[in-house]
């Protein structure tokens, strides 16, 4: 098995589902690290990317009842619930903005009283509040599905209107695990896999880039993970708009699946390696450091990851509420550069589309030129 897979990786050939299954069963982590690092260097050299960003989470009041979610609340009056209006979010954006910020990331819930036109107004208001250099990356496919259904519009019309209003990209949340039997158990009332993929397909065809994700380490099997990766790869073959894939680790605090033991370190690193090796058509694998913690994030760089997300600036609660190690996540540019460089890679500050890139070695601002 190992020589055949290694030969494929060395030649840049596509791996099969059977290859992925063998890699998931591989007990030689050194082999996985070497192979996934080879593939990531074929694609990205020794570079590891990050940006300077902050999050806005408009509300955690949600119509969905996902069993893995520690974030959502049923009603506005529930303990720990919040809902911001547009003026509050613009005020928060002004507080968080500084001249090096290149992205605001907006995601939250499917609010029962907010349709597409509320979010169009939000994007317009933020576009008027923030400089044009700041990309508005906003709304998961699940949120887009919900807001369009409430407004009685198609996904195409909804995404077109959001783009006209200033939306630049969409995040990858809500994919969870695509298999319908798993989805029925963990998020039965949420949009299904075909809807999630269709929304991203529509976004890509409109020129809206997006990420893809997978929630791992709960009730899914390795075969479910492989199926999920293959559907992402197939979609990328068709529409080509995914810039990064993000394995998101299930966190067990304060939700209905809390009896499930979280994925261990080896399972996590193996998934990063297989993701990098299998997803040959997606340029970046992101290790989302607020979810993984700093030490595991640094190890993930040795197993194929080449992106860390961003500085965040203590602006997200989603993984904090689920028990992640990073309880008030925020890293400076210097801290992110140090994390990358001590792992043996070259830190590169980027924009949302990996176009404007600045080499960060010795905290300098020299453009890399690609």
């Amino acid at each position: 098995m190992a020589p055949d897979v290694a030969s494929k990786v060395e030649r840049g050939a596509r791996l099969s589902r059977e290859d992925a299954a063998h890699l998931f069963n591989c007990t030689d982590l050194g082999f996985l690290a070497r192979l996934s690092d080879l593939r990531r260097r074929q694609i990205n050299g020794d570079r590891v990317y990050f940006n300077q960003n902050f999050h806005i989470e408009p509300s955690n009041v949600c119509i969905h009842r996902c069993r893995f979610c520690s974030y959502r609340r049923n009603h506005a009056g529930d303990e720990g619930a919040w809902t911001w209006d547009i003026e509050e979010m613009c005020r928060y954006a002004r507080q968080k903005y500084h001249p090096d910020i290149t992205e605001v990331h907006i995601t939250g819930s499917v609010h029962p009283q907010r349709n597409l036109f509320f979010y169009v107004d939000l994007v317009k208001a933020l576009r008027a509040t923030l400089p044009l250099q700041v990309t508005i990356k906003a709304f998961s496919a699940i949120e887009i599905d919900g807001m369009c259904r409430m407004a009685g519009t198609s996904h195409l019309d909804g995404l077109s209107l959001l783009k006209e209003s200033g939306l630049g990209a969409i995040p990858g949340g809500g994919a969870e695990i695509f298999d319908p039997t798993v989805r029925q158990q963990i998020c039965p009332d949420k949009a299904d896999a075909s809807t999630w993929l269709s929304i991203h397909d529509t976004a890509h065809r409109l020129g809206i880039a997006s990420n893809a994700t997978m929630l791992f380490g709960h009730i899914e099997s390795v075969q479910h993970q492989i199926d999920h990766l293959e559907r992402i790869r197939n979609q990328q073959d068709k529409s080509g708009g995914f810039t990064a894939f993000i394995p998101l680790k299930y966190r067990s605090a304060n939700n209905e699946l809390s009896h499930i033991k979280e994925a261990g370190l080896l399972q996590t690193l193996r998934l990063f390696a297989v993701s990098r090796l299998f997803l040959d058509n997606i340029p970046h694998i992101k290790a989302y450091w607020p979810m993984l913690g700093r030490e595991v994030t640094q190890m993930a760089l040795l197993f194929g990851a080449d992106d860390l997300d961003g500085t965040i600036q203590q602006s997200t609660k989603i993984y904090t509420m689920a028990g992640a190690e990073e309880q008030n996540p925020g890293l400076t540019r210097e801290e992110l550069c140090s994390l990358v460089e001590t792992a043996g890679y070259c830190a590169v500050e980027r924009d949302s589309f990996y176009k404007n890139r600045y080499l960060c070695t010795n905290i300098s601002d020299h453009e890399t030129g690609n």
Side-chain angles (χ1 to χ4, degrees):
M1 177 278 295
D4 292 340
V5 174
S7 175
K8 283 186 176 182
V9 174
E10 289 168 0
R11 292 182 284 112
R14 173 157 287 189
L15 300 187
S16 67
R17 290 176 63 106
E18 292 73 24
D19 293 331
H22 287 312
L23 289 168
F24 272 118
N25 289 323
C26 178
T27 57
D28 186 348
L29 285 183
F31 171 75
L32 285 178
R34 290 190 299 273
L35 208 59
S36 56
D37 188 64
L38 172 62
R39 176 58 64 86
R40 58 99 64 213
R41 288 179 185 274
Q42 289 171 342
I43 299 170
N44 292 298
D46 64 352
R47 293 162 291 183
V48 173
Y49 299 98
F50 71 92
N51 66 358
Q52 298 205 48
N53 66 345
F54 66 91
H55 289 222
I56 295 175
E57 295 166 353
S59 179
N60 65 340
V61 177
C62 189
I63 65 172
H64 294 305
R65 301 293 179 264
C66 302
R67 297 183 64 209
F68 57 80
C69 185
S70 309
Y71 174 82
R72 61 97 175 162
R73 296 295 183 268
N74 293 331
H75 306 289
D78 292 348
E79 182 179 356
W82 72 83
T83 299
W84 287 1
D85 61 30
I86 291 175
E87 182 180 349
E88 289 173 317
M89 286 184 270
C90 288
R91 187 183 311 124
Y92 183 78
R94 287 191 290 269
Q95 292 170 357
K96 288 294 182 182
Y97 173 75
H98 60 74
D100 292 324
I101 289 288
T102 58
E103 180 181 285
V104 54
H105 178 121
I106 308 170
T107 191
S109 64
V110 180
H111 194 281
Q113 297 174 325
R114 289 180 167 175
N115 68 18
L116 170 70
F117 303 107
F118 172 88
Y119 294 103
V120 166
D121 289 343
L122 171 60
V123 172
K124 288 179 178 177
L126 288 170
R127 186 71 287 158
T129 298
L130 296 167
L132 288 177
Q133 73 184 48
V134 180
T135 298
I136 299 175
K137 183 170 78 177
F139 316 131
S140 70
I142 303 304
E143 293 168 88
I144 291 167
D145 180 59
M147 66 179 73
C148 288
R149 284 190 292 105
M150 290 182 202
T153 62
S154 68
H155 297 147
L156 174 61
D157 289 344
L159 282 164
S160 297
L161 189 53
L162 287 166
K163 182 181 179 181
E164 291 169 8
S165 302
L167 180 74
I170 63 176
E176 322 314 358
I177 289 289
F178 287 148
D179 181 82
T181 60
V182 175
R183 216 168 177 84
Q184 181 61 34
Q185 295 178 69
I186 66 172
C187 51
D189 60 349
K190 182 179 280 188
D192 62 11
S194 63
T195 301
W196 189 97
L197 290 165
S198 173
I199 289 170
H200 283 266
D201 181 87
T202 301
H204 297 169
R205 295 183 191 284
L206 288 171
I208 303 171
S210 70
N211 291 331
T213 64
M214 177 170 67
L215 184 70
F216 73 94
H218 42 90
I219 67 169
E220 88 284 5
S221 68
V222 164
Q223 288 304 316
H224 293 140
Q225 292 179 352
I226 294 172
D227 171 72
H228 190 99
L229 291 171
E230 186 171 51
R231 296 197 206 194
I232 293 291
R233 192 171 72 176
N234 290 344
Q235 181 60 55
Q236 183 75 338
D237 281 343
K238 289 193 292 184
S239 57
F242 292 125
T243 56
F245 176 73
I246 314 167
L248 294 174
K249 178 179 175 178
Y250 164 69
R251 290 289 188 170
S252 63
N254 307 312
N255 60 61
E256 294 180 21
L257 298 180
S258 291
H259 59 283
I260 295 175
K261 185 178 179 181
E262 293 180 1
L265 176 62
L266 299 185
Q267 182 180 350
T268 299
L269 296 178
R270 186 177 285 111
L271 178 58
F272 271 91
V274 176
S275 298
R276 178 62 289 166
L277 292 164
F278 192 80
L279 297 175
D280 53 71
N281 56 1
I282 295 183
H284 303 287
I285 303 295
K286 182 181 292 189
Y288 183 55
W289 68 264
M291 171 267 294
L292 292 172
R294 302 179 201 196
E295 291 184 2
V296 177
T297 293
Q298 196 171 45
M299 284 186 275
L301 299 181
L302 306 175
F303 286 79
D306 70 287
D307 189 278
L308 304 181
D309 196 78
T311 50
I312 310 254
Q313 298 191 86
Q314 298 86 35
S315 60
T316 179
K317 298 180 182 179
I318 292 175
Y319 270 97
T320 295
M321 294 170 74
E325 287 90 346
E326 301 288 341
Q327 286 297 294
N328 194 25
L331 288 176
T332 65
R333 180 179 187 268
E334 291 77 8
E335 287 171 327
L336 284 166
C337 289
S338 177
L339 188 153
V340 171
E341 290 164 3
T342 55
Y345 297 98
C346 178
V348 180
E349 186 172 348
R350 61 169 174 83
D351 65 8
S352 296
F353 309 105
Y354 300 84
K355 291 181 179 178
N356 295 320
R357 308 173 182 182
Y358 300 92
L359 184 68
C360 300
T361 301
N362 299 321
I363 318 303
S364 62
D365 285 331
H366 303 296
E367 190 168 3
T368 65
N370 58 7

